[in-house]
């Protein structure tokens, strides 16, 4: 069974405790008291430094933590109350932190010959942190396993089923890992350069979380071999939604999102041509609001946010959002952040980064 959900703001406050609340400045405390939900996002500050901030659905900053460099994806563990921020590819650090500051942050590093791909996920019981990694000399993606019960020592790895391994998630029963392999070869000697655009093999894989066996692997048809499968989320029906970034000619109009379930083939959403053009062949983030039955897509290249009906795949709304970045479920729909620091009605001095995660 593949299901998940977010806690509400009251649960976050109860978990944080009086120590966290008493340490907040009046403005920060007011932002938390007014919040219906709480999020975390990476940021770049005006002085060029990087960090992670907890923020309300209005975009008001509640708290912030410094990072050694730029972050990319984040994940939150309901069981432990901890979150993790992964360095932007080809970064080698990840910071595990408590949004309520009950424990000190822990910084871990990818092993020699590896770098993080910017994403990961906790097991539902909070005991294992999974991380998407690049074995760059071996030209293969792997999922690193880190012991979250101890000091996050790396205790093993699984084959990811492809290269350019990017986003991943875990079924709520902890039995399955779902992995988006973007199909793009990179090597830190060449920075973020994409080395194989003419021979990409994007894929989506389902892996047994106990054994590491690849149970299901979907490669895209040859006509879509330059459609990099990048980000994932799970809906109320247990389907796996995926979003793509196209590396082919700009004049093409490939499908950019789809879904599948264990044991089923991939199915792309048939978006209207207008919507596909709006997304500019690039979906930077995807998120599902299970309660509302909505799927949110953002495109910083298209300066757009699109919301789909999770049951039918039809377009519910389209919105122009300059430098649209992160997306996450909100109390009544989909929250969208931007690289310009906007979230809802607030424009922060902090420039929000690519992804947004709901904490409560």
């Amino acid at each position: 069974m593949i299901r998940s959900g977010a806690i509400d703001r009251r649960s976050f406050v109860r978990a944080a405790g009086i120590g966290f609340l008493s340490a907040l400045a009046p403005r920060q405390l007011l932002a938390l008291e007014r919040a219906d939900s709480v999020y975390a996002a990476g940021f770049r500050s005006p002085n060029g430094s990087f960090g992670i901030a907890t923020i309300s659905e209005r975009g008001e900053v509640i708290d912030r933590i410094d990072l050694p460099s730029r972050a990319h994806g984040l994940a939150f563990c309901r069981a432990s109350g901890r979150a993790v921020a992964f360095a932007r590819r080809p970064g080698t650090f990840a910071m595990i932190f408590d949004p309520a500051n009950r424990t000190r942050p822990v910084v871990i590093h990818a092993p020699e010959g590896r770098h993080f791909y910017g994403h990961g996920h906790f097991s539902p019981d909070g005991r294992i942190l999974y991380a998407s990694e690049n074995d760059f000399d071996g030209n293969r993606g792997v999922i690193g396993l880190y012991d979250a019960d101890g000091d996050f020592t790396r205790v093993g790895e699984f084959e990811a089923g492809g290269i350019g391994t990017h986003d991943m998630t875990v079924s709520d029963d902890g039995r399955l890992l779902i992995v988006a392999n973007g199909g793009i070869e990179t090597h830190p000697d060449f920075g973020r350069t994409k080395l194989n655009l003419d021979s990409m093999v994007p894929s989506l894989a389902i892996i047994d979380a106990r054994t590491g066996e690849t149970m299901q692997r979907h490669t895209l048809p040859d006509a879509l071999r330059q459609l990099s499968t990048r980000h994932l989320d799970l809906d109320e029906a247990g389907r796996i939604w995926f979003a793509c970034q196209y590396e082919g000619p700009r004049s093409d109009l490939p499908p950019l999102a789809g879904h599948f379930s264990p044991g089923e083939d991939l199915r792309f959403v048939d978006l209207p041509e207008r919507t596909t053009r709006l997304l500019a062949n690039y979906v930077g983030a995807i998120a599902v609001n299970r309660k509302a039955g909505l799927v949110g897509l953002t495109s910083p290249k298209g300066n757009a946010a699109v919301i789909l009906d999770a049951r039918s795949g039809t377009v519910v709304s389209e919105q122009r959002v300059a430098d649209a970045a992160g997306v996450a479920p909100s109390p009544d729909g989909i929250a969208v952040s931007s690289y310009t620091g906007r979230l809802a009605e607030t424009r922060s001095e902090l420039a929000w980064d690519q992804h947004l995660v709901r904490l409560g």
Side-chain angles (χ1 to χ4, degrees), residues 6-329:
I7 61 174
D8 61 22
R9 188 266 306 174
R10 291 182 297 275
S11 298
F12 177 84
V13 171
R14 286 196 299 270
I18 191 65
F20 173 75
L21 300 178
S22 63
L24 297 178
R27 183 176 179 180
Q28 297 168 304
L29 185 60
L30 178 61
L32 180 57
E33 289 176 343
R34 290 175 40 176
D36 289 322
S37 53
V38 179
Y39 299 87
F43 68 80
R44 184 184 69 240
S45 69
N47 67 7
S49 63
F50 297 97
I52 298 292
T54 50
I55 47 183
S56 73
E57 79 279 3
R58 295 180 180 85
E60 302 160 320
V61 175
I62 297 167
D63 198 14
R64 50 193 285 180
I65 302 170
D66 292 334
L67 286 176
S69 188
R70 184 177 176 180
H72 184 70
L74 303 98
F76 177 63
C77 178
R78 293 184 65 189
S80 68
R82 292 183 292 192
V84 59
F86 288 94
R88 183 175 186 252
R89 176 183 66 83
T92 59
F93 81 88
M95 177 181 282
I96 300 93
F97 64 98
D98 182 347
N101 286 336
R102 293 163 299 187
T103 58
R104 293 176 61 86
V106 176
V107 177
I108 61 174
H109 297 275
E112 185 176 355
R114 308 290 172 83
H115 66 69
F116 291 124
Y117 258 125
H119 286 278
H121 212 280
F122 288 94
S123 61
D125 60 11
R127 299 179 64 183
I128 298 291
L129 172 63
Y130 301 99
S132 58
E133 300 175 1
N134 185 18
D135 172 8
F136 46 82
D137 287 331
N139 191 26
R140 65 189 182 113
V142 298
I143 303 299
L145 282 63
Y146 294 81
D147 179 10
D149 273 348
D151 56 1
F152 289 89
T153 301
R154 195 174 190 276
V155 293
E157 70 180 31
F158 295 149
E159 292 280 349
I163 67 171
T165 303
H166 197 65
D167 198 5
M168 64 157 297
T169 190
V170 185
S171 62
D172 271 16
D173 60 14
R175 296 180 180 178
L176 304 176
L177 311 182
I178 303 101
V179 181
N181 295 300
I184 299 174
E185 179 185 355
T186 60
H187 194 287
D189 287 351
F190 300 94
R192 293 176 58 82
T193 302
K194 301 165 183 175
L195 303 174
N196 69 327
L197 295 186
D198 291 333
S199 58
M200 291 171 55
V201 186
S203 66
L204 293 149
I206 297 179
I207 298 168
D208 187 312
R210 183 178 60 88
T211 66
E213 176 188 359
T214 299
M215 303 175 64
Q216 188 174 332
R217 183 173 181 267
H218 297 284
T219 56
L220 300 193
D222 188 63
L224 296 176
R225 61 181 174 78
Q226 289 185 298
L227 188 63
S228 183
T229 45
R230 305 285 282 183
H231 294 105
L232 302 164
D233 204 358
L234 310 174
D235 74 9
E236 184 66 24
R239 291 182 299 182
I240 302 156
W241 282 81
F242 61 93
C244 307
Q245 299 169 10
Y246 189 55
E247 300 293 343
R250 295 178 62 183
S251 58
D252 288 352
L253 292 174
L256 297 173
H259 53 75
F260 69 106
S261 297
E264 296 181 359
D265 291 334
L266 302 184
R267 180 177 179 182
F268 285 97
V269 176
D270 186 18
L271 297 175
E273 181 177 329
R274 177 195 69 254
T275 305
T276 301
R277 291 188 183 279
L278 181 65
L279 292 170
N281 283 348
Y282 188 101
V283 178
I286 184 170
V288 175
N289 183 326
R290 293 181 164 211
K291 184 176 180 180
L294 301 173
V295 179
L297 311 172
T298 54
S299 173
K301 291 189 176 182
N303 298 301
V306 173
I307 298 177
L308 309 178
D309 183 287
R311 289 172 292 276
S312 65
T314 56
V315 176
V316 174
S317 69
E318 300 173 351
Q319 183 181 6
R320 287 285 184 179
V321 179
D323 296 309
V327 62

